[in-house]
Amino acid sequence: MTKHSGIDPLTQISPNQHVLIRLPSDNLKIVELKANAIVSLGKFGAFRVNDIIGYRFGTTFDIVYDGVEEEFVKGTQTMIGKISVLENRLKASSPALENSSENNRGLINLGSVVQEMSMAEIEAMKREAASGDAIISKMIESHKSFHQKTVHSQEKYLKRKKQKFAKFFTVEYLDSSGLLHYLIEKGDVLRVMDISQESLGMALNLANINSNGQYLCIDETGGLIVYAMLERMFAGDSNSKAKGKIVVVHENEHPNLDLLKFSSYSDNFIQRHVKTISVLDFFEPAKEADIKSLFKPLSAEEINDLKSNKKSAYFRRLKWYQNQLSNIEVAASSFDGLLVASTLYLPTLIPRLGEKIHGSRPIVCYSQYKEPLLELSHSLYENLNYLAPSLLETRCRPYQTVRGKLHPLMTMKGGGGYLMWCHRVLPAAEPKLNEETLERSDVKNSDVEGDEDAHNLDQEEQVIKRRKPNEENEKL
Amino acid sequence: MSQFFEYKDTIKEGDLVLAWLSRDNLKPITVKAGEVFNTRYGAFSHSDMIGKPFGSQIAIRTKGSNRFGFIHVLQPTPELWSISLPHRTQIVYTPDSSYIMQRMECNPRSRVIEAGTGSGSFSHAFARSAGHLFSYEFHEVRYEQAKQEFKEHGLLEAGNTTITHRDVCKDGFEIKNGDTTSHEFRGPEETKVELNADCIFLDLPAPWDAIPNLTSVISKEKKVNLCCFSPCIEQVDKTLEALEEEGWQDVQTVEIQGRQYEARRQMVRRLDDAIERLRDVKRRKHEGVEKRQKNVEQTSNNGSSVEATESDKDLKHTEKTHFNPFGKGSRVKEGDSNFEWTQVSKVELEIKSHTSFLTFASKIIDRTRDEEQTKAYLATFKDEGSKLSKREQRRLKAQANKDIQKE
């Protein structure tokens, strides 16, 4: 996306992009903004896209109905409101608290009797399109024992009501963490392989992802991993000059990078920086000569001479031809890192992919479960091409962040997955003897075969040492 | 380009390499022909490394024994550096730093403020990903050390890192001509640096003193994210107070817990083998009793002693190892192929049970839009659809019906 008349789609809300909308209930929603269109948030109300264009991401808006013409979203009861900018999400629709009790000694549970407003009255107020603020104030007024509640429980009450009657929303840039949270909340935990924000973040750092690397990737999450890599490498900027590239190897005929449809990159940019290739084409590439024998590109003049129906057929075939050639090139290249989130059997997968990785480059493998990574680690210990496989876990524990009431959340989602991290290395083929030992072995009537045996023995020893990482090198 | 962030294939003279001796022993060395890298496993000549690809295993034969010693020579990355670096202060480890970067959306467009620099562990990770890093250190010796290190690592040269000697709590974050900083001013007409920061990381004993100073240096163009890193909960409380006063929003404190596991093996020891062992003990006890009775009988009968010695020999033939694979007393090596093993994961001996509390917040300075500009911009979309698509309408209708039913 290019900058139009000073509006920057990466920092400001602009049309033709997907954004994340945070509702009063803290639920998330992805919305594609179309100029002149209307967005409905269901019971929270509706607004016009044009009213929010040009504001910074992160701004909180309130939907207000003061002096608007009655206009409904077609076929629904949702009335389209005006927009006003709120200063703070926290302060939105919170009438000032007064008259609270030290404790709840006087509080008796009388059920719904304490609320003098009936459901019908509340519904009527909503239909009259009173602001969420007004409804909540009214409810407090008619709540008989509200002032017998402690400040804390008054706040809690307000929070609950706010989630029900407030009409504000926050518009956020759709970064990879936001996309992940949206998917988790939507119930797509399995689809994203239970990955957590902290595991995703750690995978990016351990794999040393930067703007100019050539990375190899398997992503079974529908593109979340690739999305996160792209964001880290290019920041959503289709005009980025960085040369980095992601090669996505997929197990079906076509890749599933569905989530990239939410990204702000141009198709052209994605084509340049994300290359997809099937496992078959990657591990058993076609021969260049075979491809060339099947198709010959024409010269510019010859193309001009083609009739229009033949022209399109030609370009279709040309595209195929170019894709085949680029597949061959990709299969022959080596990479700056490997990032895998796959449910394929890892002990056979990783070493084969690892062959295509440069020495000293990191390999990071994500799994929902620890056991497949345990098995992988054991198999890599025995392979001298991989240095010190480690099993890592990272967990985030959020706090209820209210002064005077700080404590970790009482309940939260479990899981989050595990990472295997190691480096691709190049084993010493024929260990060089240094001069001193050469002299000594000369004296001792050096025996080539004997040396080789010693070498083999040593290799075996290394294998054993690798098995017990804490004893590495210890015996030497 | 920095030797940290530009991928290299072969080791050249003058390169910084990390020599991997073991999991918690990585040593940074600058390769120079003729020099030797000494370890307790032997001496490795730098000349052996030059020309080899990064990631090579370097093997030598040690003096005095017929064994090989080896190291791996790796290209530095921020993560490996954080394991190997010389500590000047407590450092931020990867589980924390990677989460902070992900949560603050650190990317090539980010302009990051980091205070203090400390040992520079996090600085390297920021510098890899950010558009620009402004790092501040109030301790003069540490400032000089860090500046020297950043220079050697190509962080300053690459142009995306600036380090400034400053007490940010007292004197704020602005970088002016004449300050002690790595920024090179283009003559007297450049009086100060436009920081325009949108990513703030404060690892200070009293971040609340620094927070009010941020106002003048953070971006007005976009949402600004902040993270304070404090070990004590009282510090968090004071930070929350300052954040609220300064109008920061979406405040949340979290803790990150990182764990590392070793892949190990546990011997498979079966019930049947235990029973078999006890059976054997029982049999030998029984045989012992029989033998003693026989001996008693023989001595009383004055018979020959030849038979007795023969039965003694029989006993010695019992094969213990066959059904006694318990390794107790015989020191079986983990993974010995004579035994069966199950794969287990073992948590590291010492875990970092607390690093710090991470308090996040965000701020938008400019909550307005340029009405004229927006109007002109939107005019270019005049002809585009002004209503919901049919599909969207259907979806909303269904949703509305559902909502009504719910209530």
Side-chain angles (χ1 to χ4, degrees):
Chain A
M1 222 179 287
T2 46
K3 251 184 167 180
H4 295 281
S5 48
I7 289 190
D8 176 5
L10 299 174
T11 55
Q12 286 169 285
I13 303 166
S14 57
N16 296 330
Q17 67 177 171
H18 287 87
V19 298
L20 201 63
I21 290 189
R22 201 140 49 97
L23 301 170
S25 52
D26 273 337
N27 287 347
L28 299 170
K29 201 176 157 87
I30 291 179
V31 168
E32 186 181 10
L33 299 180
K34 291 265 182 224
N36 310 321
I38 292 152
V39 171
S40 167
L41 304 175
K43 65 175 177 181
F44 301 108
F47 64 92
R48 292 177 202 284
V49 168
N50 289 10
D51 290 346
I52 62 165
I53 299 297
Y55 289 99
R56 317 279 165 206
F57 279 114
T59 306
T60 300
F61 303 96
D62 204 1
I63 300 175
V64 290
Y65 295 103
D66 269 358
V68 292
E69 275 177 59
E70 281 206 16
E71 195 188 343
F72 293 90
V73 177
K74 257 188 199 151
T76 69
Q77 299 280 303
T78 315
M79 201 164 107
I80 302 163
K82 278 199 302 195
I83 286 294
S84 86
V85 176
L86 283 181
E87 235 189 50
N88 195 329
R89 226 180 128 75
L90 211 65
K91 288 178 186 146
S93 350
S94 291
L97 298 174
E98 46 189 26
N99 282 338
S100 48
S101 166
E102 287 279 307
N103 54 46
N104 54 12
R105 192 182 296 166
L107 207 58
I108 304 154
N109 188 1
L110 299 171
S112 56
V113 185
V114 291
Q115 181 53 261
E116 287 180 329
M117 253 168 98
S118 68
M119 205 58 213
E121 280 175 283
I122 296 172
E123 279 304 313
M125 273 189 91
K126 276 174 83 180
R127 259 197 302 282
E128 281 161 25
S131 70
D133 219 347
I135 300 179
I136 295 168
S137 295
K138 193 82 208 296
M139 289 189 77
I140 292 175
E141 252 170 60
S142 28
H143 190 298
K144 274 193 271 180
S145 55
F146 187 79
H147 302 298
Q148 277 156 327
K149 286 174 183 278
T150 58
V151 178
H152 189 193
S153 66
Q154 284 181 344
E155 277 170 5
K156 266 184 164 168
Y157 178 84
L158 280 180
K159 197 180 166 202
R160 265 203 323 275
K161 296 301 158 199
K162 211 154 82 181
Q163 291 188 343
K164 234 171 146 179
F165 302 111
K167 289 171 178 145
F168 64 89
F169 63 96
T170 308
V171 182
E172 303 273 11
Y173 175 76
L174 185 57
D175 69 330
S176 59
S177 295
L179 179 59
L180 173 60
H181 286 150
Y182 166 78
L183 292 167
I184 289 174
E185 198 184 82
K186 199 166 140 250
D188 277 351
V189 175
L190 267 187
R191 179 188 189 187
V192 296
M193 300 171 76
D194 196 34
I195 197 167
S196 61
Q197 183 183 6
E198 55 274 22
S199 295
L200 180 62
M202 187 137 115
L204 293 177
N205 275 31
L206 291 177
N208 195 27
I209 302 298
N210 70 48
S211 306
N212 294 308
Q214 312 283 315
Y215 304 107
L216 192 60
C217 176
I218 297 192
D219 181 359
E220 280 179 23
T221 64
L224 178 76
I225 308 285
V226 176
Y227 195 101
M229 289 170 83
L230 287 173
E231 286 296 292
R232 184 60 68 84
M233 292 163 78
F234 310 112
D237 184 3
S238 289
N239 300 317
S240 169
K241 297 274 182 300
K243 302 185 294 288
K245 201 170 171 179
I246 307 170
V247 169
V248 181
V249 184
H250 52 88
E251 61 177 300
N252 295 314
E253 206 181 334
H254 298 287
N256 176 9
L257 296 176
D258 197 39
L259 294 173
L260 294 192
K261 73 179 178 217
F262 294 130
S263 76
S264 53
Y265 305 98
S266 66
D267 288 347
N268 200 310
F269 183 86
I270 290 184
Q271 263 169 33
R272 256 182 296 137
H273 294 277
V274 180
K275 164 83 188 155
T276 62
I277 181 167
S278 78
V279 281
L280 179 68
D281 287 335
F282 188 69
F283 288 113
E284 291 171 19
K287 297 241 175 358
E288 201 174 324
D290 291 348
I291 302 297
K292 287 195 165 153
S293 72
L294 287 169
F295 180 82
K296 265 201 181 63
L298 303 175
S299 69
E301 288 148 34
E302 286 173 304
I303 294 168
N304 266 337
D305 291 343
L306 286 176
K307 281 189 187 134
S308 65
N309 59 336
K310 286 213 167 159
K311 218 180 219 170
S312 62
Y314 170 80
F315 280 117
R316 222 175 20 250
R317 296 200 64 205
L318 180 70
K319 204 177 154 194
W320 173 85
Y321 172 78
Q322 282 163 345
N323 192 39
Q324 290 295 313
L325 289 187
S326 95
N327 280 350
I328 292 169
E329 197 187 318
V330 163
S333 47
S334 55
F335 296 88
D336 295 322
L338 172 63
L339 186 46
V340 173
S342 169
T343 49
L344 289 171
Y345 184 63
L346 301 172
T348 51
L349 173 71
I350 300 300
R352 289 199 65 188
L353 289 169
E355 284 171 25
K356 313 271 187 179
I357 308 298
H358 266 298
S360 192
R361 308 290 199 261
I363 293 174
V364 178
C365 190
Y366 170 81
S367 169
Q368 180 177 359
Y369 307 108
K370 204 201 284 170
E371 290 74 13
L373 296 181
L374 177 63
E375 209 177 345
L376 173 66
S377 301
H378 274 294
S379 76
L380 293 184
Y381 280 152
E382 282 157 35
N383 189 330
L384 296 178
N385 290 306
Y386 304 95
L387 179 62
S390 304
L391 262 174
L392 303 166
E393 178 190 348
T394 175
R395 296 285 177 260
C396 174
R397 181 152 84 146
Y399 279 63
Q400 169 180 295
T401 314
V402 181
R403 292 192 69 207
K405 287 169 223 145
L406 281 166
H407 62 73
L409 294 192
M410 296 296 185
T411 55
M412 54 185 279
K413 200 176 115 358
Y418 300 84
L419 297 166
M420 192 286 303
W421 180 44
C422 69
H423 283 80
R424 173 78 159 92
V425 289
L426 310 163
E430 197 64 42
K432 266 188 203 162
L433 303 176
N434 64 32
E435 277 167 32
E436 277 169 293
T437 39
L438 258 183
E439 278 166 27
R440 274 191 317 129
S441 47
D442 276 343
V443 174
K444 276 200 223 156
N445 182 21
S446 120
D447 176 358
V448 179
E449 236 171 273
D451 269 351
E452 256 173 24
D453 279 347
H455 174 216
N456 290 340
L457 236 171
D458 188 61
Q459 292 277 2
E460 267 174 39
E461 249 181 43
Q462 285 179 350
V463 171
I464 290 161
K465 265 167 225 137
R466 292 275 189 84
R467 276 192 202 133
K468 292 189 170 185
N470 52 341
E471 286 175 20
E472 248 169 75
N473 245 332
E474 209 77 315
K475 295 257 170 69
L476 281 172
Chain B
M1 262 305 258
S2 159
Q3 49 188 330
F4 260 77
F5 316 126
E6 183 190 24
Y7 289 107
K8 292 181 163 191
D9 291 340
T10 49
I11 299 170
K12 291 188 189 69
E13 182 145 12
D15 279 350
L16 176 72
V17 302
L18 291 180
W20 175 292
L21 301 169
S22 71
R23 224 169 258 269
D24 39 21
N25 194 2
L26 275 81
K27 289 272 187 290
I29 41 179
T30 305
V31 175
K32 206 173 163 202
E35 291 202 351
V36 173
F37 174 56
N38 283 305
T39 72
R40 46 194 274 246
Y41 316 120
F44 296 84
S45 151
H46 286 201
S47 308
D48 282 354
M49 302 172 193
I50 295 172
K52 286 239 172 73
F54 273 102
S56 289
Q57 183 184 45
I58 309 284
I60 53 151
R61 192 171 284 224
T62 48
K63 257 188 198 171
S65 77
N66 203 23
R67 289 220 160 125
F68 288 106
F70 62 84
I71 55 170
H72 286 92
V73 279
L74 303 177
Q75 191 186 343
T77 68
E79 284 63 39
L80 291 172
W81 180 250
S82 83
I83 307 174
S84 71
L85 61 78
H87 281 210
R88 291 185 287 267
T89 56
Q90 183 62 255
I91 68 162
V92 184
Y93 291 96
T94 301
D96 284 314
S97 61
S98 61
Y99 178 73
I100 294 165
M101 285 173 65
Q102 176 68 16
R103 178 152 177 169
M104 297 210 295
E105 299 168 47
C106 186
N107 60 38
R109 285 170 61 103
S110 305
R111 295 175 67 81
V112 182
I113 283 179
E114 175 199 44
T117 311
S119 302
S121 162
F122 206 163
S123 315
H124 285 76
F126 270 135
R128 167 183 55 202
S129 305
H132 201 103
L133 168 68
F134 298 95
S135 193
Y136 298 81
E137 175 59 50
F138 88 121
H139 191 286
E140 191 169 4
V141 177
R142 288 207 293 262
Y143 163 75
E144 288 298 339
Q145 285 171 332
K147 190 176 138 188
Q148 182 60 26
E149 187 181 282
F150 288 1
K151 198 174 157 194
E152 283 167 13
H153 293 180
L155 268 57
L156 303 182
E157 191 194 341
N160 86 331
T161 304
T162 302
I163 180 166
T164 304
H165 176 223
R166 177 71 54 83
D167 178 353
V168 293
C169 294
K170 238 175 81 219
D171 304 317
F173 296 87
E174 279 177 47
I175 304 171
K176 295 200 180 73
N177 206 340
D179 289 343
T180 313
T181 174
S182 70
H183 181 80
E184 283 170 19
F185 287 87
R186 296 181 302 263
E189 67 275 11
E190 192 190 1
T191 54
K192 64 173 212 165
V193 179
E194 280 301 328
L195 271 82
N196 228 357
D198 58 34
C199 231
I200 322 289
F201 176 69
L202 302 179
D203 179 4
L204 302 165
W208 52 87
D209 286 333
I211 289 167
N213 297 336
L214 285 168
T215 319
S216 62
V217 291
I218 58 177
S219 172
K220 289 163 189 64
E221 320 284 283
K222 62 188 284 199
K223 182 173 146 183
V224 180
N225 293 307
L226 167 142
C227 174
C228 295
F229 187 81
S230 306
C232 307
I233 201 87
E234 289 79 6
Q235 290 170 305
V236 172
D237 186 55
K238 281 187 156 181
T239 304
L240 294 178
E241 185 182 19
L243 289 172
E244 198 184 328
E245 267 171 29
E246 293 291 316
W248 291 80
Q249 311 184 15
D250 288 331
V251 183
Q252 191 188 39
T253 300
V254 307
E255 249 188 308
I256 298 292
Q257 180 71 73
R259 290 258 195 281
Q260 191 163 342
Y261 299 90
E262 268 173 37
R264 301 288 291 264
R265 289 178 163 90
Q266 188 189 40
M267 190 188 282
V268 176
R269 306 190 302 115
R270 296 188 189 283
L271 172 66
D272 285 346
D273 291 328
I275 292 175
E276 182 65 21
R277 187 172 59 93
L278 289 172
R279 216 180 263 144
D280 180 59
V281 170
K282 197 174 171 185
R283 195 179 66 230
R284 283 191 287 155
K285 233 186 231 165
H286 191 69
E287 280 170 358
V289 172
E290 271 183 2
K291 202 178 89 185
R292 212 176 305 136
Q293 275 178 354
K294 239 184 205 169
N295 280 348
V296 172
E297 277 169 31
Q298 275 169 358
T299 32
S300 60
N301 293 348
N302 262 335
S304 75
S305 58
V306 184
E307 272 178 289
T309 15
E310 266 175 17
S311 66
D312 269 352
K313 267 182 194 165
D314 283 349
L315 279 179
K316 274 173 194 159
H317 284 301
T318 314
E319 282 214 25
K320 286 181 192 168
T321 47
H322 178 63
F323 50 82
N324 184 21
F326 297 92
K328 282 177 187 145
S330 60
R331 288 227 163 249
V332 176
K333 226 179 189 174
E334 194 174 312
D336 186 331
S337 58
N338 290 318
F339 303 97
E340 216 182 308
W341 301 86
T342 52
Q343 299 182 342
V344 291
S345 57
K346 182 178 180 239
V347 77
E348 56 199 324
L349 282 178
E350 191 182 274
I351 56 169
K352 291 185 183 70
S353 38
H354 181 61
T355 51
S356 272
F357 294 107
L358 316 181
T359 302
F360 292 92
S362 68
K363 191 168 186 172
I364 300 168
I365 292 192
D366 185 0
R367 279 195 222 92
T368 63
R369 66 175 178 182
D370 185 332
E371 292 293 339
E372 285 300 305
Q373 186 193 57
T374 312
K375 214 169 150 190
Y377 176 41
L378 283 168
T380 60
F381 293 91
K382 208 173 64 198
D383 301 329
E384 285 183 24
S386 63
K387 55 185 181 199
L388 298 167
S389 70
K390 286 241 167 71
R391 194 175 153 273
E392 185 74 352
Q393 283 176 28
R394 272 202 305 276
R395 192 185 64 76
L396 287 172
K397 205 170 175 180
Q399 182 64 42
N401 285 337
K402 235 163 81 190
D403 284 349
I404 289 165
Q405 274 170 16
K406 250 192 225 164
E407 281 161 19

